Amino acid sequence: MAEIRTDWTRDQIAALFDLPFDELMFQAMTVHRAHHAVGEVQLCTLLSIKTGGCPEDCGYCSQSVKADSGVKATKLMDVREVLQSAARAKDAGSQRFCMGAAWRNLKDRDMPAIVEIVKGVSAMGMETCMTLGMLTPKQADMLADAGLDYYNHNIDTSPERYAEVITTRTMDERLETLDHVRKAGINVCSGGIVGMGETRADRVGFIHTLATLPQHPESVPVNALVPVKGTVLGDMLADTPLAKIDDIEFVRTIAVARITMPMSMVRLSAGRESMSEATQALCFMAGANSIFTGDKLLTAANAGDDKDAAMLAKLGLRAMVAEEPMRACKSVRMEAAE
Ligand code: SAM
Ligand code: DTB
Ligand code: SF4
């Protein structure tokens, strides 16, 4: 078993990125096999329960009011509609239902509906994940009491690059919400985006921030930027095609996440639609063991169930059977708070 360390230095992480590719892959595979079942991929489904009109200015996001992406703003979906969608995802074989809202932060007035949704999806036997923007400690406790299994809140990039991507909040505010989630006893899902024109040093800083949290996130989504026309970064990429991340560099990022955070689920998240099967296969070999299925992410297109089923069959990978999720409970919360 690889040692679980939270004292990684940037130099050590940079040295992993610098390894010859086959050596990096060998180390990542070794760590993966020591901590996870070989050949299993977790299938998660996403639903945007409140789309667009977000006051934040994240340079990659189609849902920001600052983007001219054509995404229409909607109200929070009806609880019944969300539950119907969760039931369809369960029938399609998904084990986790991840729900996203284009909010800067959760408002107390929306809490009753959110609690009802968490309880309803849990009652169907699916794991629940929410991503609703910043939370107060009290809101995190309320979500834990409702039975929320995971909270997604990405740090997105390196601390140095953060202010170039988002100006309406700081990375410290992001880390504060992650701390509230951890202390509430909810499993943490936090990762980011590569391919935003960042440097290798930024990718090192991004992984370093996650791998030196007091406890590694249980889930680490690694998104490849989906370039959306009308967003700052989507337009930048359209104008400078050379800024597109190299496939091997993307695989290296997955491998370094796997080696530095051995127990975490590493999710090959957005961007698969434009990735070859060969690149995705390398990502699975490098330790990615979770994907989003279905034909839509939040607003962007995703590969779709049929295409994914064919790819997984071709690679001899099977869907992970859901383990009993670690339900948020008071004793876990108190331990985390100590
Ligand atoms: N508003 C909430 C927040 O920002 O935490 C939740 C929704 S937000 C869309 C969830 C995450 O999706 C972001 O943190 C970002 O990492 C990812 N994301 C958004 N747009 C993306 C894009 N165009 N390409 C890749 N990832 C993207
Ligand atoms: C994450 O890291 N990726 C997902 C999920 N967490 C919420 C979202 C990807 C969004 C991709 C762009 C879109 O669909 O708008
Ligand atoms: Fe809003 Fe989240 Fe999009 Fe940022 S990433 S603009 S916070 S929906």
Side-chain angles (χ1 to χ4, degrees):
M1 290 285 223
E3 193 194 345
I4 309 300
R5 296 176 44 193
T6 56
D7 62 351
W8 291 97
T9 65
R10 283 199 183 214
D11 283 349
Q12 288 168 337
I13 293 173
L16 289 173
F17 266 100
D18 284 343
L19 284 172
F21 189 66
D22 63 342
E23 176 58 29
L24 175 63
M25 291 296 276
F26 178 72
Q27 288 194 23
M29 276 184 197
T30 308
V31 171
H32 189 194
R33 280 157 191 257
H35 293 275
H36 300 271
V38 180
E40 285 194 353
V41 178
Q42 178 192 50
L43 308 182
C44 309
T45 302
L46 265 175
L47 176 70
S48 180
I49 59 172
K50 194 273 165 217
T51 306
C54 182
E56 301 270 35
D57 70 352
C58 312
Y60 47 77
C61 188
S62 62
Q63 303 194 68
S64 164
V65 281
K66 302 277 160 56
D68 186 13
S69 63
V71 167
K72 210 172 122 261
T74 66
K75 289 195 307 196
L76 179 62
M77 272 171 79
D78 269 352
V79 175
R80 214 162 41 101
E81 269 182 87
V82 177
L83 298 185
Q84 282 165 353
S85 185
R88 282 194 295 275
K90 187 171 190 286
D91 287 346
S94 187
Q95 70 170 87
R96 184 179 302 173
F97 200 57
C98 307
M99 293 154 276
W103 286 327
R104 171 173 163 78
N105 57 282
L106 173 59
K107 306 254 179 6
D108 288 342
R109 63 163 189 257
D110 291 314
M111 188 58 103
I114 295 294
V115 164
E116 212 183 320
I117 291 171
V118 172
K119 289 188 172 163
V121 176
S122 292
M124 289 176 192
M126 291 181 94
E127 290 181 346
T128 51
C129 179
M130 288 261 177
T131 178
L132 313 168
M134 291 184 272
L135 298 179
T136 63
K138 182 153 176 260
Q139 288 174 331
D141 279 346
M142 287 170 83
L143 292 175
D145 286 338
L148 183 69
D149 296 309
Y150 288 79
Y151 195 80
N152 167 248
H153 201 64
N154 290 344
I155 61 158
D156 281 326
T157 187
S158 66
E160 300 74 41
R161 183 93 207 288
Y162 202 80
E164 285 170 39
V165 178
I166 302 146
T167 70
T168 48
R169 59 167 188 256
T170 62
M171 186 180 279
D172 281 347
E173 285 178 295
R174 225 49 191 168
L175 295 172
E176 266 171 37
T177 289
L178 288 177
D179 187 48
H180 303 330
V181 169
R182 177 60 79 203
K183 288 193 172 128
I186 301 171
N187 292 305
V188 170
C189 172
S190 188
I193 310 179
V194 288
M196 298 194 289
E198 74 283 349
T199 61
R200 162 77 70 86
D202 288 317
R203 290 186 280 278
V204 170
F206 157 58
I207 300 278
H208 179 260
T209 305
L210 294 172
T212 55
L213 286 172
Q215 195 178 332
H216 295 160
E218 280 73 16
S219 251
V220 178
V222 181
N223 298 276
L225 177 71
V226 178
V228 181
K229 202 164 166 276
T231 62
V232 174
L233 289 164
D235 291 346
M236 180 275 292
L237 215 68
D239 293 342
T240 45
L242 282 179
K244 186 181 180 301
I245 182 116
D246 174 69
D247 286 346
I248 297 296
E249 184 67 11
F250 185 82
V251 178
R252 280 185 187 274
T253 311
I254 297 268
V256 175
R258 165 53 63 228
I259 294 167
T260 51
M261 294 171 276
M263 301 283 285
S264 307
M265 302 295 292
V266 175
R267 182 166 313 117
L268 173 54
S269 302
R272 287 196 306 115
E273 221 223 351
S274 58
M275 227 177 253
S276 70
E277 283 188 348
T279 301
Q280 294 184 61
L282 283 173
C283 289
F284 296 127
M285 290 169 73
N289 55 353
S290 178
I291 56 172
F292 286 120
T293 52
D295 53 15
K296 202 165 173 205
L297 293 164
L298 290 173
T299 65
N302 194 27
D305 290 337
D306 293 349
K307 215 166 151 195
D308 278 341
M311 176 183 70
L312 294 178
K314 198 193 276 191
L315 299 176
L317 295 171
R318 52 191 190 283
M320 195 174 285
V321 179
E323 288 168 23
E324 185 56 26
M326 187 186 80
R327 298 272 172 204
C329 64
K330 204 77 195 170
S331 62
V332 177
R333 289 217 291 275
M334 279 156 59
E335 250 171 57
E338 273 163 17

